[in-house]
Amino acid sequence: MGLIKKVENELGTIYERYDSNNKLIQRAGAIGFSKEYEGNIYYIITDLNGIKINEANRFLNYSLEKVSEKKREQAFSALKIFYSFIDLFHIKDYEKGLNNEVLKKLIGFLKGGTFSGNTLVFDFNLERKNSTIRYYLSVYRKFYELIFNIRVGPLHDRTSLINYQHENGVRKIEKYNSNPQSPSKNVLPKYIRYEEYQKILEIIDAKFNLRDRIIVMLMYEYGLRIGEVLGITIEDINFEKNKNGYYSLKIRNRITDKSFQHGKRLIVPKKIEHYFEEEYALEGIGLWTILIEDEELIEIIEEYYEEARDARILNKFKKKRDNLKYKSKADKVTDRNDLRENQYIFLNQQNYTPLTASGWGYRIKKILENAGIEIDRGTKKNNLSHRFRHGFAMKKVAEGYDEIKLYKVLRHSGPHSVKYYFNPTPEDQADMLRGQKENMEMRGLAYVTDIKK
């Protein structure tokens, strides 16, 4: 029986095939590198002879021009594996699509690990999760659609799961038949309960600072992700009420953003010209608008912004002054006349550079420890900041939101991704009932059990 081994060397990951006598009979693979030129990162994939794979490079550098750098890097990895598979198994006419037999073999190749086939033993060491395989398959679908104009076939076959009403008509939730399924984990994630939130605010007021209070309020009261918070600039906040009595906050991506400051499911501009394209100003494509009714929150944001840029401190420390001027500067993407330049709001208080995800991660860990809240030491399974967003979601469920309203306010792609919020534990159910009672009492309504009394 023959053997295929995955080998790491100076070129990257390659694959070697041995015959039943342990003689090397084939070396296959696709390798790649990235290069920065005029502020842009370009990804190049070649075969083992150094010949560029043009369709892959066109997809990575032009078709994916406006997606985040992280997604381009993941697509780069996915395509290197794809072309290694094509080379190793001598797949012909792959440009015309993948038949069922080839697709099944590709999924097994992606899975990895050590296993035996009919005539070969595969020794790939690493075994990938089904979620990773699903992501790679989604890259291949997009690749076939944009490069080869192929949208049908085994890779694209789907089964309809549910239909739901959307403001623009009926939408479908479908699953791709080729996607490997993981066991269903319809379990409610850890979240910050209201009484915990109140305790956290008390701890922040006593031991931490105004910046930390604002960040926690934005995540819990308005459901922002931590990346969305860290990317907020002074330009993104309207400090004047609109005609309906709301302040507003815009979430959008900029060229000056680091990857940890990106808003999810929004365009990631790569060139200045992208700011002027119509889609950059479209809700749900180029930006999200968050309406804020809490006047206190707006006031403390304004207070923090001025406090964090105290001229007395800046005049004393040139390094902080330079960091604020050059490293905290953000692209100005609107024609607001009241702003000469734009800056990220939340700063590292030591060096006056934008607050990073790791810097905030350390901070929120300390805050939760002081509040006596479990933090899952030694694991990243339960994102600490995301617990506030989960708390926001559960608060909305307690207010009576259904799956349709909830996915919209969470800015998800559809209602299928919010189902676990409707699978509460008995403790969660009790919390929600208390929340409903408090909500009705605030509106001057009697709760049914009180009426019976």
Side-chain angles (χ1 to χ4, degrees), residues 46 96 173 362:
T46 74
K96 297 178 181 178
I173 298 295
Y362 178 81

Side-chain angles (χ1 to χ4, degrees), residues 15-18 23-28 87-90:
Y15 298 86
E16 294 179 344
R17 187 195 293 258
Y18 295 82
K23 179 182 178 182
L24 177 65
I25 58 175
Q26 183 190 6
R27 183 175 282 117
D87 185 22
L88 182 63
F89 293 100
H90 308 292

Side-chain angles (χ1 to χ4, degrees), residues 195-432:
E195 62 272 15
E196 293 175 325
Y197 173 61
Q198 291 299 318
K199 186 174 183 181
I200 288 167
L201 291 183
E202 290 174 6
I203 291 293
I204 289 174
D205 290 342
K207 297 184 177 182
F208 296 90
N209 61 31
L210 203 56
R211 180 200 69 184
D212 303 337
R213 170 179 258 272
I214 296 166
I215 293 175
V216 164
M217 289 179 72
L218 287 171
M219 293 191 296
Y220 187 84
E221 298 288 347
Y222 294 94
L224 269 68
R225 301 174 176 92
I226 186 57
E228 295 169 340
V229 173
L230 297 178
I232 296 172
T233 73
I234 192 64
E235 178 184 36
D236 297 324
I237 299 178
N238 187 346
F239 291 94
E240 301 293 329
K241 288 183 178 180
N242 63 19
K243 62 182 181 181
N244 295 317
Y246 291 98
Y247 302 96
S248 65
L249 162 65
K250 302 288 186 184
I251 298 170
R252 50 192 157 203
N253 296 323
R254 292 176 168 82
I255 298 171
T256 48
D257 289 349
K258 303 296 184 186
S259 59
F260 61 79
Q261 295 171 307
H262 283 159
K264 200 170 181 180
R265 296 182 54 237
L266 294 177
I267 288 170
V268 179
K270 297 290 174 29
K271 301 176 182 177
I272 295 294
E273 306 88 78
H274 293 163
Y275 293 142
F276 305 101
E277 294 178 357
E278 182 180 358
E279 59 186 5
Y280 186 71
L282 290 179
E283 191 74 21
I285 298 176
L287 58 83
W288 297 110
T289 301
I290 308 297
L291 297 179
I292 296 177
E293 56 187 349
D294 187 347
E295 189 167 347
E296 180 199 0
L297 175 58
I298 293 297
E299 287 176 353
I300 63 175
I301 290 174
E302 198 165 15
E303 180 184 343
Y304 164 72
Y305 188 79
E306 294 174 0
E307 178 186 287
R309 291 153 177 82
D310 191 324
R312 292 172 298 176
I313 295 176
L314 293 174
N315 289 335
K316 283 184 181 179
F317 303 99
K318 183 178 184 299
K319 183 67 174 177
K320 291 183 178 182
R321 191 166 64 247
D322 289 345
N323 283 347
L324 182 65
K325 183 176 181 180
Y326 299 110
K327 295 186 178 181
S328 297
K329 186 177 180 180
D331 284 346
K332 187 169 178 281
V333 299
T334 69
D335 56 1
R336 280 182 57 173
N337 296 322
D338 59 322
L339 290 175
R340 283 191 306 168
E341 65 176 24
N342 193 24
Q343 290 182 351
Y344 294 103
I345 287 183
F346 300 109
L347 302 177
N348 178 310
Q349 60 195 44
Q350 300 300 321
N351 56 30
Y352 279 54
T353 55
L355 180 62
T356 64
S358 59
W360 171 252
Y362 178 81
R363 188 72 159 190
I364 192 60
K365 181 179 176 182
K366 292 296 181 185
I367 291 171
L368 295 185
E369 283 177 341
N370 273 268
I373 295 172
E374 183 186 0
I375 59 170
D376 300 318
R377 292 181 181 276
T379 178
K380 292 185 178 180
K381 183 178 179 181
N382 295 295
N383 182 300
L384 297 181
S385 291
H386 219 62
R387 289 191 193 181
F388 291 91
R389 182 169 157 85
H390 292 319
F392 167 79
M394 291 303 293
K395 187 155 58 77
K396 293 303 177 185
V397 172
E399 291 172 11
Y401 277 45
D402 60 15
E403 292 179 10
I404 302 299
K405 288 183 70 176
L406 187 60
Y407 99 80
K408 289 179 181 178
V409 77
L410 286 173
R411 305 183 306 284
H412 280 197
S413 59
H416 58 290
S417 59
V418 300
K419 286 186 178 299
Y420 52 71
Y421 291 117
F422 297 88
N423 187 33
T425 65
E427 185 180 356
D428 299 321
Q429 290 175 328
D431 282 347
M432 285 191 284

Side-chain angles (χ1 to χ4, degrees), residues 40-104:
N40 295 317
I41 296 176
Y42 294 90
Y43 293 93
I44 307 298
I45 295 179
T46 74
D47 64 18
L48 294 186
N49 296 315
I51 298 173
K52 294 179 182 177
I53 303 174
N54 292 327
E55 68 247 13
N57 300 328
R58 189 164 73 250
F59 176 72
L60 292 168
N61 299 306
Y62 298 100
S63 300
L64 301 186
E65 183 182 21
K66 294 184 182 179
V67 305
S68 70
E69 212 56 58
K70 182 179 180 181
K71 287 193 174 181
R72 288 181 68 212
E73 190 174 338
Q74 289 172 329
F76 175 59
S77 298
L79 285 180
K80 283 193 294 181
I81 296 170
F82 177 78
Y83 278 97
S84 294
F85 169 79
I86 295 297
D87 185 22
L88 182 63
F89 293 100
H90 308 292
I91 306 299
K92 305 296 183 184
D93 298 328
Y94 65 88
E95 303 96 332
K96 297 178 181 178
L98 305 177
N99 61 36
N100 281 309
E101 181 183 350
V102 171
L103 180 58
K104 183 177 179 181

